Amino acid sequence: MSEQIHDESTRPLVRIRGLRKSFGANLVLDGVDLDVHEGEVTVLLGPSGSGKSTLLRSINHLEKPDAGFVEVGGEIIGFRHQGGSLHELGHRAITRQRARVGMVFQQFNLFPHLTVLENLTEAPVAVRGLSRKSAALQAKALLERVGLGGREDAYPRQLSGGQQQRVAIARALAVEPQLLLFDEPTSALDPELVGEVLAVMKDLALSGMTMIVVTHEIGFAREVADSVVFLDGGRVIESGPPADVLANPGHERARSFLSAVL
Amino acid sequence: MSSPVAAGHPPAAPSSPSAPPFPPALHERPEDEQLLAAKLVPLRRPGQWASALVLVVLLAMLVHTLLTNRRFQWDVVGSYFLNGSIVDGLKLTLWLTAAVMASGYLLAVGVAAMRLSGNPVLRSLSFGFVWLVRSVPPLVQLLFWYELASLYPQLSLGIPFGHEFVTVRTAHLFSGILAAFVGLTLDVAAFASEIVRGGILSVEHGQTEAAEALGLGKVRIFRRIVLPQAMPAIVPASGNLLIGMLKATSIVSVIAVQDLLYSSQLIYNQNYLIIPLLLVATLWYIILTTLLSIGQFFVERHYARGSNRGGGSARTGFWQLFRGNVPLGLS
Ligand SMILES: Nc1ncnc2c1ncn2[C@@H]1O[C@H](COP(=O)(O)OP(=O)(O)O)[C@@H](O)[C@H]1O
Ligand SMILES: [Mg+2]
C-alpha cells in the first residue's frame, strides 16, 4: 500500500483516458481520465447515477465505450490498435482479457445451482486449465482466507449475505486476477454483516492486491484507500489521497455529498 | 364471514347492528393464562369433505359401469393387450417419440439461442421458422413431407442455379416413417424453442455478467450457468410437450405408419372389436403417461438443487408430494 513509492516512469496498471459512454441521449461518462498503479487501492465516490458502475463495468468491457480507452497492463481492453484505428476484438480475446480482471457485484451473483466449491472451481478449470483436483485445493485455501473454511459443500442460499459476498470475493480471486473491481460490495448487506466483508477487503489490500472500489463506506476509504476519486455527472471532479479529498474537498458537489453520507 | 373482527381493525362505524363491539369491552377479554391454556381448533373445511364425497360417488359409478357393462369386453382387451402387432406398434410409438423429442430439442436449443443472439439475421431466421412451423397443422406438415415427391420429383446438391453434383429422387427419400420423423421433429423444435427461450429469459442477467467477468466463454456460460438455471422453468412445460407428442405420434396412422394406435385399428378393421382394441391402445397410453409423469417428478427434483424448493438437504419425497396434492387431507 502506502509504503510503495511510485516512480513516475513506471506505467500505471490501469490507465483510462477520455472515456465517454452514453445510453441513448443520456451521457453517463463524459471524458473520464484515471490512473491506478499496481498494488494501489482506489475508492470511487459519487452520488447515485454519477456513472460509477458504468466506469467500473467498462474496465472489463461489460460496457463498450463510445470514445476513449481503458488500458490494463499495457493492453487496450476490448480493442486492438492497428493502422490508426481501434478494431473491436472478437469474443475469445475479450474473454481472455476479462480473466485478468476480477469483479465483485453488489448482488453477489453467485451461481445458485452450484455449491460454494463448484462456484470457485468453475473458472479456474475453464480459464486457467487447472485440473478439478488442484482447483479444489486452491478453492479450499481461498475459502480459509476469507474465513469460510469448511463451507465448500453449502449452496449459496444456505449462507448469510456477508458469507455469500466473501465467497464471491474468493471466486473472483480464484482466476488470479491482476486487478479486482468492487461495485458497492456491502450495499445489499444488513449493517451487522458489512464489517466482515470490509475486513476481507482490507486484508486483500494489505496483501498488495490492486483494487478499484465503489463504496459509500467512507471509513474504509479513509483507512484503506491510496486515492479517492470523486465522480459527478460522468466527470472526475476531485481526486487525490483520502486525507486531502475527504478532509477538505474543494468542489461544492463533493462537499455536499460527503456531508450527506458521513 | 366479513365481520369487522375478521378484517383485523376497528371499523369507523359498525356495519351491522348485530356485530359484537370491537375491540370487546375490557372485562370481557380473556386472561393471558386462559389463552395460553386454550386448545387450538383448526378451521373446519366442510367444502373439502363434501367435494371428496361427490368424487368418491362419481368414482364408484365409473368403476361400476366399467365392470358391469359387458360391451367393454375386458376379456378381449386382456387377450389383445400383449398381442404381437400391438407390442410392435408400441415399440414404434416409443422410439418415434424418443427420436422426435431428442432431435427436436437439439434443434430447439439452437433456434432459441439464435432468437436471443445479437445477430439480426439469425434472429429473423429463428422467428420465421417458429412462425411458419407453428402456423401449419402437424397433419398438413406430415402429408407435405410424405408427398414431397409430387412437389419436387428430385432434389439436387450443387451450385445455386448452376451445376448439380448429386441428384436424388424424392420418391425414395421420404418413406412414411421418415416423413413422420422430419415433420414431428420440426413441430417439436418450434414449440420447444419457445419453452427454452422462456426458460433462458427467466435467468437473471447478473448470472451471465458474473460468468463473463470470470472470463468464461460464451458456450460454457450457456451450458454450465444459464441452461441449468433455466431448467426448472423448462422441465414442466417440456413434460407437457413430451406427453402430448407421445399421443400426437398417433397422427402417423394417416400415412400408414404402424404405431400403437394404427396397429389396433388394423386389427379392429378385420374383427370389428372396435371398443376393446381402442381400450388396449388407451391403457398403454395411460401407462406410458404415468411413467413419464413420475420421471418428470425426479427430473424436477434434480434441477431444484440449491433452491429453497426441495433439493439441497431438505428433500421432498414423491409420496409426500403426492399426498400434498391429493385433496383428501387425511393427516
Ligand atoms: N444498461 C443501461 N441502459 C440505459 N441506461 C443505463 C444503463 N446502465 C446505466 N444507465 C444509466 O446510466 C446512469 C449512470 O448509471 P450508473 O453507472 O449505474 O451510476 P452509479 O453506479 O454511479 O449509480 C444512470 O442514469 C443509469 O440510469
Ligand atoms: Mg452503481
Side-chain angles (χ1 to χ4, degrees), chain A residues 57 95 98 110 113 122, chain B residues 206-207 209 212 215 220 224:
Chain A
R57 292 159 56 82
T95 296
R98 278 183 180 142
L110 291 177
H113 62 301
E122 184 64 27
Chain B
Q207 291 289 308
E209 286 197 339
E212 281 177 345
R220 190 156 181 123
R224 293 275 302 170

Side-chain angles (χ1 to χ4, degrees), chain A residues 125-147:
Chain A
V125 169
V127 179
R128 290 172 49 214
L130 289 190
S131 69
R132 288 248 160 238
K133 207 170 151 210
S134 50
L137 277 178
Q138 180 211 264
K140 283 176 186 164
L142 282 171
L143 284 174
E144 291 288 346
R145 185 165 169 195
V146 298

Side-chain angles (χ1 to χ4, degrees), chain B:
Chain B
M1 281 308 283
S2 60
S3 75
V5 178
H9 55 81
S15 49
S16 91
S18 64
F22 186 87
L26 213 53
H27 65 275
E28 285 170 16
R29 291 186 202 170
E31 296 297 326
D32 288 357
E33 292 73 31
Q34 282 176 284
L35 287 174
L36 288 170
K39 197 173 120 228
L40 289 177
V41 181
L43 178 64
R44 306 274 176 220
R45 301 178 188 279
Q48 212 169 65
W49 286 101
S51 57
L53 195 68
V54 171
L55 200 68
V56 166
V57 170
L58 287 177
L59 214 63
M61 284 166 70
L62 180 68
V63 171
H64 179 76
T65 180
L66 284 177
L67 291 179
T68 55
N69 187 341
R70 323 202 89 233
R71 273 166 290 190
F72 279 112
Q73 292 176 283
W74 290 107
D75 49 330
V76 180
V77 172
S79 66
Y80 277 102
F81 196 65
L82 294 173
N83 171 288
S85 55
I86 294 285
V87 171
D88 285 346
L90 177 69
K91 281 185 198 153
L92 188 134
T93 292
L94 278 178
W95 79 250
L96 182 61
T97 306
V100 159
M101 288 299 285
S103 45
Y105 264 84
L106 272 181
L107 260 179
V109 171
V111 172
M114 277 163 65
R115 183 74 189 278
L116 293 169
S117 83
N119 182 332
V121 180
L122 293 182
R123 269 206 315 266
S124 327
L125 199 65
S126 164
F127 180 83
F129 169 78
V130 172
W131 167 79
L132 182 67
V133 175
R134 285 203 304 192
S135 311
V136 180
L139 182 59
V140 174
Q141 230 208 102
L142 210 64
L143 291 171
F144 172 83
W145 290 110
Y146 191 52
E147 304 292 342
L148 191 65
S150 60
L151 204 55
Y152 296 98
Q154 53 188 31
L155 289 177
S156 306
L157 196 65
I159 302 161
F161 308 109
H163 181 74
E164 291 167 359
F165 302 115
V166 194
T167 302
V168 284
R169 298 184 53 78
T170 46
H172 304 295
L173 197 61
F174 281 91
S175 63
I177 193 82
L178 190 58
F181 172 72
V182 172
L184 293 175
T185 293
L186 293 182
D187 200 58
V188 168
F191 282 93
S193 75
E194 287 296 283
I195 295 176
V196 172
R197 188 169 70 94
I200 291 171
L201 288 177
S202 76
V203 180
E204 230 190 297
H205 189 59
Q207 291 289 308
T208 305
E209 286 197 339
E212 281 177 345
L214 286 170
L216 297 180
K218 259 185 176 172
V219 176
R220 190 156 181 123
I221 292 175
F222 182 71
R223 204 169 50 79
R224 293 275 302 170
I225 307 299
V226 177
L227 198 55
Q229 292 188 64
M231 285 310 266
I234 290 176
V235 172
S238 297
N240 234 3
L241 193 68
L242 169 59
I243 289 169
M245 190 45 59
L246 179 75
K247 294 178 293 176
T249 51
S250 61
I251 66 169
V252 300
S253 61
V254 300
I255 51 175
V257 174
Q258 293 186 29
D259 74 322
L260 178 57
L261 185 61
Y262 193 55
S263 303
S264 46
Q265 285 174 330
L266 286 178
I267 298 175
Y268 72 60
N269 281 340
Q270 283 173 3
N271 61 15
Y272 301 106
L273 297 166
I274 299 177
I275 294 293
L277 278 155
L278 283 178
L279 280 175
V280 168
T282 305
L283 282 179
W284 274 117
Y285 282 121
I286 290 177
I287 290 171
L288 295 178
T289 304
T290 307
L291 292 179
L292 289 178
S293 304
I294 293 173
Q296 180 180 342
F297 166 81
F298 285 104
V299 174
E300 277 181 30
R301 194 176 68 174
H302 173 75
Y303 283 110
R305 262 177 318 171
S307 79
N308 303 337
R309 308 164 282 150
S313 51
R315 292 191 143 191
T316 330
F318 180 70
W319 178 240
Q320 277 161 284
L321 191 91
F322 176 76
R323 282 279 294 274
N325 282 306
V326 174
L328 301 172
L330 298 175
S331 49

Side-chain angles (χ1 to χ4, degrees), chain A residues 58-76:
Chain A
S58 304
I59 298 175
N60 62 3
H61 211 63
L62 288 175
E63 302 290 355
K64 194 168 94 180
D66 297 334
F69 67 87
V70 175
E71 182 193 284
V72 177
E75 230 179 278
I76 307 285

Side-chain angles (χ1 to χ4, degrees), chain A residues 47-54 57 106 183-184 214 216:
Chain A
S48 175
S50 57
K52 305 181 297 294
S53 295
T54 306
R57 292 159 56 82
Q106 181 176 351
D183 194 357
E184 302 201 30
V214 173
H216 296 309

Side-chain angles (χ1 to χ4, degrees), chain A residues 150-172:
Chain A
R151 299 309 305 269
E152 51 262 22
D153 292 327
Y155 281 96
R157 241 164 268 199
Q158 297 165 335
L159 302 177
S160 74
Q163 291 173 327
Q164 288 189 50
Q165 193 60 297
R166 286 187 278 150
V167 172
I169 293 171
R171 179 177 71 174

